[in-house]
mmCIF file of all heavy atoms in Angstrom:
data_model
loop_
_atom_site.group_PDB
_atom_site.id
_atom_site.type_symbol
_atom_site.label_atom_id
_atom_site.label_comp_id
_atom_site.label_asym_id
_atom_site.label_seq_id
_atom_site.Cartn_x
_atom_site.Cartn_y
_atom_site.Cartn_z
ATOM 1 N N LYS F 650 6.370 6.097 8.036
ATOM 2 C CA LYS F 650 7.442 5.166 8.397
ATOM 3 C C LYS F 650 7.467 4.955 9.947
ATOM 4 O O LYS F 650 8.204 4.059 10.329
ATOM 5 C CB LYS F 650 8.769 5.675 7.940
ATOM 6 C CG LYS F 650 8.783 5.970 6.381
ATOM 7 C CD LYS F 650 9.011 4.611 5.651
ATOM 8 C CE LYS F 650 8.912 4.723 4.195
ATOM 9 N NZ LYS F 650 7.626 4.348 3.593
ATOM 10 N N ARG F 669 -0.650 -3.143 22.448
ATOM 11 C CA ARG F 669 -0.032 -4.346 21.887
ATOM 12 C C ARG F 669 -0.339 -4.536 20.355
ATOM 13 O O ARG F 669 0.494 -4.725 19.620
ATOM 14 C CB ARG F 669 -0.483 -5.598 22.685
ATOM 15 C CG ARG F 669 0.074 -6.865 22.146
ATOM 16 C CD ARG F 669 -0.429 -8.013 23.157
ATOM 17 N NE ARG F 669 -0.098 -9.339 22.718
ATOM 18 C CZ ARG F 669 -0.912 -10.097 21.852
ATOM 19 N NH1 ARG F 669 -2.033 -9.572 21.457
ATOM 20 N NH2 ARG F 669 -0.594 -11.341 21.562
ATOM 21 N N SER F 694 6.398 16.923 27.390
ATOM 22 C CA SER F 694 7.650 16.795 28.178
ATOM 23 C C SER F 694 8.549 15.826 27.591
ATOM 24 O O SER F 694 9.688 15.495 28.111
ATOM 25 C CB SER F 694 7.353 16.531 29.603
ATOM 26 O OG SER F 694 6.642 15.291 29.655
ATOM 27 N N PHE F 700 9.415 1.485 20.826
ATOM 28 C CA PHE F 700 8.892 0.160 21.269
ATOM 29 C C PHE F 700 9.240 -0.925 20.226
ATOM 30 O O PHE F 700 9.285 -0.633 18.978
ATOM 31 C CB PHE F 700 7.307 0.257 21.214
ATOM 32 C CG PHE F 700 6.756 0.649 22.637
ATOM 33 C CD1 PHE F 700 7.550 1.369 23.588
ATOM 34 C CD2 PHE F 700 5.463 0.220 22.882
ATOM 35 C CE1 PHE F 700 6.967 1.728 24.834
ATOM 36 C CE2 PHE F 700 4.843 0.598 24.185
ATOM 37 C CZ PHE F 700 5.665 1.316 25.051
ATOM 38 N N LEU F 779 -18.939 7.338 23.044
ATOM 39 C CA LEU F 779 -18.537 7.853 21.737
ATOM 40 C C LEU F 779 -19.480 7.362 20.661
ATOM 41 O O LEU F 779 -19.780 6.206 20.629
ATOM 42 C CB LEU F 779 -17.048 7.412 21.386
ATOM 43 C CG LEU F 779 -16.038 8.221 22.264
ATOM 44 C CD1 LEU F 779 -14.804 7.390 22.425
ATOM 45 C CD2 LEU F 779 -15.782 9.634 21.835
ATOM 46 N N GLY F 781 -20.756 6.400 16.770
ATOM 47 C CA GLY F 781 -20.138 5.708 15.666
ATOM 48 C C GLY F 781 -19.516 4.345 15.863
ATOM 49 O O GLY F 781 -19.013 3.760 14.979
ATOM 50 N N LYS F 801 -23.351 -9.030 44.636
ATOM 51 C CA LYS F 801 -23.004 -9.030 46.101
ATOM 52 C C LYS F 801 -23.934 -8.065 46.896
ATOM 53 O O LYS F 801 -24.419 -8.429 47.996
ATOM 54 C CB LYS F 801 -21.562 -8.599 46.304
ATOM 55 C CG LYS F 801 -20.603 -9.559 45.727
ATOM 56 C CD LYS F 801 -19.155 -9.259 46.018
ATOM 57 C CE LYS F 801 -18.220 -10.377 45.641
ATOM 58 N NZ LYS F 801 -17.721 -10.289 44.270
ATOM 59 N N SER F 808 -31.333 -9.763 52.298
ATOM 60 C CA SER F 808 -31.405 -10.183 53.682
ATOM 61 C C SER F 808 -32.049 -9.128 54.623
ATOM 62 O O SER F 808 -32.689 -9.444 55.531
ATOM 63 C CB SER F 808 -29.900 -10.421 54.134
ATOM 64 O OG SER F 808 -29.424 -11.377 53.342
ATOM 65 N N GLU F 816 -24.540 3.894 42.360
ATOM 66 C CA GLU F 816 -24.063 4.839 41.460
ATOM 67 C C GLU F 816 -22.949 4.260 40.607
ATOM 68 O O GLU F 816 -21.920 3.765 41.083
ATOM 69 C CB GLU F 816 -23.626 6.127 42.134
ATOM 70 C CG GLU F 816 -23.294 7.238 41.238
ATOM 71 C CD GLU F 816 -23.016 8.526 41.926
ATOM 72 O OE1 GLU F 816 -23.934 9.092 42.497
ATOM 73 O OE2 GLU F 816 -21.879 8.961 41.979
ATOM 74 N N SER F 829 -26.053 -2.842 33.050
ATOM 75 C CA SER F 829 -25.820 -3.488 34.265
ATOM 76 C C SER F 829 -27.036 -3.788 35.041
ATOM 77 O O SER F 829 -27.146 -4.758 35.727
ATOM 78 C CB SER F 829 -24.696 -2.785 35.063
ATOM 79 O OG SER F 829 -24.877 -1.425 35.305
ATOM 80 N N ALA F 830 -28.048 -2.862 34.915
ATOM 81 C CA ALA F 830 -29.322 -3.025 35.550
ATOM 82 C C ALA F 830 -29.969 -4.348 35.004
ATOM 83 O O ALA F 830 -30.540 -5.159 35.718
ATOM 84 C CB ALA F 830 -30.174 -1.850 35.395
ATOM 85 N N ILE F 839 -31.672 4.837 36.517
ATOM 86 C CA ILE F 839 -31.942 6.280 36.412
ATOM 87 C C ILE F 839 -30.755 6.852 35.545
ATOM 88 O O ILE F 839 -29.601 6.912 36.100
ATOM 89 C CB ILE F 839 -32.080 6.963 37.746
ATOM 90 C CG1 ILE F 839 -33.249 6.330 38.289
ATOM 91 C CG2 ILE F 839 -32.229 8.458 37.614
ATOM 92 C CD1 ILE F 839 -33.917 7.010 39.541
ATOM 93 N N LYS F 887 -36.949 10.898 52.555
ATOM 94 C CA LYS F 887 -37.909 11.984 53.100
ATOM 95 C C LYS F 887 -39.293 11.617 52.737
ATOM 96 O O LYS F 887 -40.236 11.623 53.617
ATOM 97 C CB LYS F 887 -37.603 13.334 52.449
ATOM 98 C CG LYS F 887 -36.572 14.118 53.241
ATOM 99 C CD LYS F 887 -36.467 15.555 52.756
ATOM 100 C CE LYS F 887 -35.252 16.189 53.259
ATOM 101 N NZ LYS F 887 -34.493 16.740 52.116
ATOM 102 N N ARG F 895 -30.270 2.579 51.186
ATOM 103 C CA ARG F 895 -28.839 2.612 51.321
ATOM 104 C C ARG F 895 -28.252 3.052 49.892
ATOM 105 O O ARG F 895 -28.869 2.859 48.849
ATOM 106 C CB ARG F 895 -28.240 1.224 51.550
ATOM 107 C CG ARG F 895 -28.685 0.789 52.937
ATOM 108 C CD ARG F 895 -28.166 1.599 54.065
ATOM 109 N NE ARG F 895 -29.077 1.621 55.259
ATOM 110 C CZ ARG F 895 -28.713 1.017 56.405
ATOM 111 N NH1 ARG F 895 -27.625 0.399 56.485
ATOM 112 N NH2 ARG F 895 -29.615 1.036 57.340
ATOM 113 N N MET F 935 -11.729 8.043 13.999
ATOM 114 C CA MET F 935 -11.629 7.109 15.106
ATOM 115 C C MET F 935 -12.084 5.740 14.517
ATOM 116 O O MET F 935 -12.991 5.619 13.658
ATOM 117 C CB MET F 935 -12.615 7.531 16.155
ATOM 118 C CG MET F 935 -12.756 6.589 17.334
ATOM 119 S SD MET F 935 -14.242 6.823 18.381
ATOM 120 C CE MET F 935 -15.522 5.875 17.480
ATOM 121 N N ALA F 951 -17.475 11.382 15.941
ATOM 122 C CA ALA F 951 -17.333 10.454 17.165
ATOM 123 C C ALA F 951 -17.603 11.192 18.522
ATOM 124 O O ALA F 951 -18.101 10.660 19.437
ATOM 125 C CB ALA F 951 -15.844 9.910 17.110
#
Side-chain angles (χ1 to χ4, degrees):
K650 300 281 174 263
R669 173 177 175 271
S694 58
F700 269 24
L779 287 159
K801 294 188 171 89
S808 303
E816 187 173 291
S829 49
I839 298 194
K887 269 193 204 127
R895 297 298 151 107
M935 178 194 84

